[in-house]
Amino acid sequence: AELGTMLPLDGGPYVYARRAYGEFGGFLVGWSDWLLRTSSMAYLAVALTEYGSGLFSFSPAVITPAAIAVLISFTAFHWLGLRVGSRAQEIMSLFKVLAFFVIIAACFFFSPQLTAVSTVKPSLFSDPKLLFVAIALSMQNILGTYAGWHAPVYFSEENIDPAKSIPRSLFTGVALVTAIYVLINLGILHALPISKLAGSKLAAADAAQLIFGGYSSRVVTSIMLVSLLGIINAAFLFTPRVMFALSRDGLFFRSGAKVNTGGTPTTALLITAAGAIILTSVGSFDKLFAFTALLTVLVDVAAFGTIFVLRWKEPELARPFTARGYPVLPAIVFAGAGLLLSAFLVSSLENSLYAAIGIAVSYPVYLLVKRLVKSVAV
């Protein structure tokens, strides 16, 4: 909230990283952020079609082509402009909130009383290393749940009054999502025994089946499909803004900063969609999800660090909103993100290797991009 109101520019963490760490530091954070957001668009499209295959019983062989078709459709939709995408997001978000609260109420008030619970002690508790990996992998899922909480800072320029609207959007959004997901977890834990929950692929559908029977699982799966559509729609709204910001600052071709009459950065949208389609074609859901989780924490660590650097380097900058409890609370968040990054690195060595390779080649890629942009400008 402090960074977004201090530097109200489109682009998210890239904007603050460039100001704090210089051009290459900004490039590294910006491209990592764009890559992880593009990867998330890919695995979300795959997840959408996998749930769709269960609902409509189509062949698993068409999941990848269907996911690509979803990405192409969203690209065409968002070409129409920011207002259209924003209105669709509002409608889908309202539907999701209402649907989730119906599920929560059903779990608490209509679930049968179950007593048979397994008392077998899970084997991972006897192995500290296995427990550590299990917690780290669980945190990847939790990060996926809350991903996008800071989306308003990607649209800072498009806010009429960013000093008020950005903090309000961030805090209200986080509070609402926290309430919904904590309540839905409590509701499902109330409805399902742990032994059944452990083997469930879609716990909300299993809980609804237990409570209502019949076509309940199909209803819940339909809600999940709408939920995923909303998440993909949001990703299409803010991911191209990262490419737009990079292009505007000369870290990608200037055409990436072109905006149509509807407010959509068209070239950035096309490149982002193309990247997501390529990743959908070559990567599995699990691989893309794990890779995205690792990059997310990496970008978060870099972004959280900028508040300290900019307080030190540019104390004179106007800060309409200041982080509460500075420097203690921001330091706790920064340290927590660093610890989480360490856990991800240890628990997933293969994805850590991919991330290390990506960071290692980033500097030559940066030099190449600068040279190409300069040659085009000449």
Side-chain angles (χ1 to χ4, degrees):
E2 175 174 324
L3 295 165
T5 54
M6 181 179 66
L7 298 170
L9 299 169
D10 284 2
Y14 156 73
V15 175
Y16 325 129
R18 189 175 191 273
R19 190 74 170 246
Y21 308 132
E23 191 174 74
F24 173 63
F27 174 87
L28 181 58
V29 171
W31 280 92
S32 298
D33 193 28
W34 178 81
L35 181 60
L36 78 89
R37 303 295 166 195
T38 305
S39 299
S40 70
M41 291 162 64
Y43 76 68
L44 287 167
V46 172
L48 179 74
T49 53
E50 284 183 347
Y51 280 132
S53 68
L55 188 64
F56 301 109
S57 301
F58 56 78
S59 170
V62 303
I63 286 178
T64 298
I68 292 172
V70 167
L71 293 170
I72 293 172
S73 300
F74 269 102
T75 303
F77 181 70
H78 280 270
W79 194 278
L80 299 175
L82 178 64
R83 187 178 297 275
V84 175
S86 298
R87 185 54 54 88
Q89 191 65 33
E90 291 170 3
I91 294 170
M92 286 186 282
S93 296
L94 177 61
F95 174 83
K96 284 195 296 183
V97 170
L98 293 175
F100 281 140
F101 275 114
V102 168
I103 296 172
I104 291 165
C107 287
F108 279 114
F109 296 112
F110 300 106
S111 62
Q113 296 298 313
L114 299 170
T115 56
V117 179
S118 173
T119 57
V120 177
K121 191 176 182 180
S123 59
L124 64 86
F125 285 103
S126 62
D127 186 342
K129 292 181 181 178
L130 191 60
L131 178 61
F132 177 81
V133 171
I135 292 172
L137 293 175
S138 298
M139 289 301 295
Q140 289 183 0
N141 291 323
I142 294 168
L143 277 180
T145 298
Y146 290 91
W149 64 272
H150 61 318
V153 300
Y154 288 83
F155 303 94
S156 296
E157 291 178 48
E158 289 151 275
N159 280 283
I160 296 173
D161 187 2
K164 290 183 179 179
S165 61
I166 288 177
R168 183 171 62 241
S169 297
L170 289 171
F171 292 117
T172 303
V174 168
L176 182 60
V177 173
T178 301
I180 290 172
Y181 278 101
V182 169
L183 284 172
I184 204 165
N185 273 281
L186 290 173
I188 291 172
L189 285 168
H190 180 78
L192 295 176
I194 286 291
S195 56
K196 186 170 180 60
L197 186 61
S200 174
K201 188 172 183 180
L202 185 55
D206 289 342
Q209 182 72 24
L210 184 67
I211 296 166
F212 300 115
Y215 293 96
S216 297
S217 62
R218 287 183 172 271
V219 172
V220 173
T221 302
S222 299
I223 294 171
M224 295 305 163
L225 287 173
V226 176
S227 178
L228 284 167
L229 284 170
I231 301 169
I232 296 171
N233 187 70
F236 267 91
L237 279 168
F238 65 79
T239 305
R241 262 70 188 177
V242 182
M243 180 69 69
F244 165 82
L246 285 160
S247 301
R248 184 169 59 180
D249 290 341
L251 296 179
F252 193 68
F253 296 111
R254 292 291 180 184
S255 59
K258 288 183 178 179
V259 179
N260 68 10
T261 54
T264 299
T266 49
T267 303
L269 173 64
L270 289 175
I271 294 170
T272 299
I277 289 170
I278 292 170
L279 289 168
T280 301
S281 303
V282 301
S284 68
F285 174 89
D286 292 337
K287 292 286 185 184
L288 290 171
F289 186 84
F291 180 66
T292 300
L294 183 64
L295 275 180
T296 298
V297 182
L298 193 63
V299 171
D300 283 349
V301 169
F304 296 155
T306 61
I307 190 172
F308 301 100
V309 177
L310 291 174
R311 284 270 189 127
W312 171 64
K313 286 177 63 176
E314 302 187 61
E316 74 285 352
L317 278 177
R319 290 171 169 81
F321 180 93
T322 53
R324 304 295 187 255
Y326 182 90
V328 176
L329 290 181
I332 291 172
V333 174
F334 179 77
L339 182 62
L340 198 56
L341 177 61
S342 301
F344 284 6
L345 290 172
V346 173
S347 64
S348 183
L349 295 178
E350 183 180 352
N351 289 304
S352 301
L353 178 61
Y354 292 149
I357 292 171
I359 294 172
V361 302
S362 62
Y363 189 66
V365 170
Y366 163 74
L367 295 177
L368 178 62
V369 168
K370 290 282 289 182
R371 182 176 296 177
L372 288 173
V373 170
K374 187 176 180 180
S375 65
V376 170
V378 173

